[in-house]
Amino acid sequence: MTSESRIGIMGHHYRRILFFLLVLLTTLGAMSLLSVAFQDGGTRPHELVMLGLYAILTLWISASFWTATIGFAMLVTGRDHYAIANADTRAVGAAPSGPFKTALVMPVYNEDPVRVFAGLRAMWQSLVETGQQDGFEVFVVSDTRDPDIWVEEELLWRRWAKEMGHPARVFYRNRVENTSRKSGNIADFCRRWGGRYRYMIVLDADSIMAGDTLVEMVARMERNPKVALIQVPPVPVNRSSLFSRMLQFAGSLYGRMFTAGLSYWQLGTSNFWGHNAIIRVKPFADHCGLPKLPGREPFGGEILSHDFVEAALLRRAGWRVWLAYDLGGSYEEIPPTLIDYAKRDRRWCQGNLQHSRLVFARGFKPLSRIHFAMGVMSYMASPLWLIFLVVTGVAAYFQSLVEPVYFFGNNILPVWPETYTVEMTTVLWVTLTMLFLPKILALVLLAAKPALSRQFGGLVRATLSVLTESLFSVLLAPVLMLFQSKFVLAILLRQNVGWPAQQRGDHQTGFAEAFGTHLSHTLIAVVVGFLSYRYVPSFFWWFTPVLAGLALSIPVSMITSRVWLGQLARRAGIFLTPEETAQPRVLQLLEQNLERAGTPLCTTATGGDLWYRAVVDPCAYALHASLLPDETPNRRRRHYLEGLIFQLQDEGLGSLKPNEKRALVSHRDGLFELHTLLWAAAQPPSAGQIAGVAANSGTVHQ
């Protein structure tokens, strides 16, 4: 080992020691302040519970606080000698040689095909502008179950492939069975085609990455042959509702500090976020096969949040995983409303709680275990806060029975017994400082960098945006706390979660949806508010921020979902992001592609299901049949398909369920029989009917 390598390793250790020491000292300091309140008369059982809960929660908050603070220092100084951008380890490893290609892999599951292909086209167009497109190929690996979306994916893929010409650069396949969800989809790609590629850049259905970013990701992997994965932080973009624009602003402004801080202490043991990352295919295929956890779901069975586990497996095998916080040009789209955001959280919650099974599993690096624990805490923090508030309220009630509580009098501020004052003041100010100081540091960063400040609309507008975002954060936090607590409870009761497609496009929350979702939150606020005001008025006044968020959950959920309010805020310069101030080229290309796709290309629509086009349209039939996998005829399956064909003939398209439609177009022999039967009929489908089915998707007849 060279002296330079030893210095680098020592620097890594010093960074982590400093970070965890700061987190530990902050936690111990906060606990000591709280424990002072419990000294009089000894520590009672409920006080021990409060102290334990507060220790866990403060540890969690202080880790986030110091991550952001260190990230702020790194961005202000602009120096990071250990970042992957400055690393070049070709001298210490066998550098790969020879020509190679990188696959852009986009797994999809019942997503909007128009948006999927518009995004991929934008990335490819951006790559073409760099002149480096020859080193890349595109794979759309579909797990789509909806037969209409499936056929539309094929038609849009075929059109794009035809436009690109030869040699082939874009490929498509739809899996027969979507086992193991996204991780199984990626594993299937690695088994079938992984040997053709040195790297793969894994995308999500809403991912967008600039061409020069893709090229730089490959270059960094080439310079560092011992690195197996580089994660590029995605910035949220392209949504217009007030809720999503607040999240986009927060992600763009605060996210830079947090990702820089994460890179500071994670270094070569960083994490994988599931998309917008480049992966070295061979080590991934060799070491990242995911086992099934023992027991039944939700804690057993298939690993849902696979990305953390795959990063840990790579580190266990000796490979490095880095976070390229300095690399821009990486984007994603987020849920447009509070309710959609909570639905996405429900899917992730079960996967993250599964990681509790892996924290103490053999072979993982200590930092990988910390990643697992942090994944669990990202959802367990909410029920722990809820329990802490309940225990604090109960303690305040019993204390009020033996000691008088004075709120009104000659004092402007309430006068409470000393123990209660110290306890609540400690919880309030220590927590608020660690939660809100990073927001202030973000504004300091803008003040120190005028060019960056202008990208957020200037310091004055950015300050107003931070204040408004902070106000809404206070209102939304209690609602998200109850959402996540409910999710955790459901999982602990072994209620499994499905794999629904995400709502990605802008839409607005109506009163009926908001009322049905948030009525329980409002009732909790009313009941708890009444009881606390009636029996412990001092606690009520401390508790008003939480109660206000829950009581106003219905109107806040509706208001924040409004697109016109988001657009009004943008015109006023509120919640501006650099991507809105000066739209990146790749996002311009995406917008242009979506506008073109939205223009009707065939105007003779007469209705009909799109999947039916693969049955009656000879061109679509030939394309779809050619993409179906080879299979051995099965007599039972043939009888089932014949029954569906008779049902279609006798009762029409409307009589078939989605799974029955998929069955008809999933098997080559049944599809051939149906196609032949329809065209051999006395009145075969007319050209107008075929054109109508084709126009149903807004695509031209191929």
Side-chain angles (χ1 to χ4, degrees), residues 106-123:
M106 179 173 281
V108 294
Y109 175 78
N110 289 343
E111 303 287 351
D112 176 10
V114 172
R115 168 60 183 82
V116 167
F117 282 92
L120 285 172
R121 280 174 176 262
M123 284 186 277

Side-chain angles (χ1 to χ4, degrees), residues 66 107 111 141 172 175 204 242 265 270 273 337 374 424 525 598 627 695 700:
W66 282 113
E111 303 287 351
V141 287
Y172 173 88
R175 273 204 300 171
D204 217 346
L242 185 63
W265 61 269
S270 292
W273 300 354
T337 71
M374 293 178 73
M424 295 307 296
L627 295 174
V700 294

Side-chain angles (χ1 to χ4, degrees), residues 332-350:
E332 66 176 345
E333 295 171 355
I334 55 176
T337 71
L338 172 62
I339 294 175
D340 291 317
Y341 187 86
K343 289 177 180 177
R344 186 184 68 170
D345 254 9
R346 175 64 181 90
R347 296 199 325 164
W348 290 355
C349 181
Q350 180 174 332

